[in-house]
Amino acid sequence: LMLKPGQEETLAVTVTNLTGKTKRIRVTPTTAGTSNSGQLSYVPGLPTDTSAQYRLSDLMDKGTTITLQPHHASRVSFKLKVPSDGIRGQLLGAIYARDLAGYKQGGTGVTVVNKFAMVIGVMARTSDKEYAPDLKLLGVRPGVQSNQAAVIASVQNNQPRLFGSMKMVAKV
């Protein structure tokens, strides 16, 4: 979305229940973050980036829970309020819809509880200016990842820009 400083914009999604059962769905604006594997993630509750000027979830209305009857749809709207000084670079996030039911599978022994969610990505900006990524090594520590001993590096891009095709070379 290309927006103007101080602008208010309404973002809306239509949530549809395609099943024959009543569903409770939590619909929430989220701020994008980075997963442990370095991938862009829209899952709520990721650690916050202290270098971020703004967070999408702070500029939008709070989430809401809706109840959908079988084979019905509901439109959910959120106001996005752009700060008067504008947005520096790209502001990334999503509208995240999560089914509040847990779906248990399994018999004896291990039980798996599946949870289902969908996201619609949002990128807001107030100018076409591009910022070059600026990566900083915040720390290195020993740890465990995917049940394997690992050296875990915390790397931060302190510029408001999504980028890809990165190669890192490190010595331990």
Side-chain angles (χ1 to χ4, degrees), residues 103-113:
Y103 299 91
K104 290 186 181 182
Q105 293 179 339
T108 59
V110 177
T111 300
V112 175
V113 179

Side-chain angles (χ1 to χ4, degrees), residues 2 16 33 40-41 68 72 80 103 109-110 113 172:
M2 182 60 77
T16 305
L40 178 65
S41 178
L68 287 173
H72 280 82
L80 168 61
Y103 299 91
V110 177
V113 179
V172 179

Side-chain angles (χ1 to χ4, degrees), residues 5-60:
Q7 180 179 347
E8 278 193 19
E9 185 71 31
T10 299
L11 305 181
V13 294
T14 300
V15 182
T16 305
N17 179 359
L18 300 174
T19 73
K21 297 180 182 177
T22 299
K23 297 251 182 215
R24 289 184 60 236
I25 308 291
R26 179 77 183 159
V27 186
T28 310
T30 65
T31 299
T34 307
S35 69
N36 287 340
S37 64
Q39 299 292 314
L40 178 65
S41 178
Y42 299 111
V43 175
L46 289 172
T48 57
D49 181 352
T50 56
S51 71
Q53 178 188 21
Y54 298 108
R55 291 172 184 79
L56 187 70
S57 57
D58 294 338
L59 302 180
M60 293 180 70

Side-chain angles (χ1 to χ4, degrees), residues 135 137 140 153 155 166-172:
L135 298 177
L137 180 63
V140 178
V155 179
M166 182 176 97
K167 179 180 178 181
M168 291 183 90
V169 178
K171 289 185 182 184
V172 179

Side-chain angles (χ1 to χ4, degrees), residues 31-171:
T31 299
T34 307
S35 69
N36 287 340
S37 64
Q39 299 292 314
L40 178 65
S41 178
Y42 299 111
V43 175
L46 289 172
T48 57
D49 181 352
T50 56
S51 71
Q53 178 188 21
Y54 298 108
R55 291 172 184 79
L56 187 70
S57 57
D58 294 338
L59 302 180
M60 293 180 70
D61 295 334
K62 300 300 176 205
T64 186
T65 300
I66 60 172
T67 300
L68 287 173
Q69 297 303 315
H71 307 289
H72 280 82
S74 179
R75 183 179 168 100
V76 182
S77 299
F78 298 96
K79 290 260 191 239
L80 168 61
K81 297 172 189 156
V82 179
S84 59
D85 60 345
I87 298 168
R88 185 175 174 269
Q90 301 169 334
L91 182 60
L92 299 172
I95 297 177
Y96 184 87
R98 180 173 61 93
D99 186 343
L100 294 178
Y103 299 91
K104 290 186 181 182
Q105 293 179 339
T108 59
V110 177
T111 300
V112 175
V113 179
N114 291 308
K115 299 200 179 233
F116 297 95
M118 295 189 77
V119 297
I120 296 178
V122 175
M123 181 179 74
R125 58 190 320 163
T126 55
S127 106
D128 285 328
K129 182 174 180 184
E130 293 286 339
Y131 293 86
D134 184 17
L135 298 177
K136 302 288 183 197
L137 180 63
L138 300 181
V140 178
R141 64 179 173 78
V144 177
Q145 191 159 355
S146 301
N147 293 323
Q148 299 286 323
V151 176
I152 299 173
S154 295
V155 179
Q156 178 187 52
N157 174 24
N158 65 13
Q159 295 300 308
R161 168 141 190 235
L162 182 64
F163 68 96
S165 301
M166 182 176 97
K167 179 180 178 181
M168 291 183 90
V169 178
K171 289 185 182 184

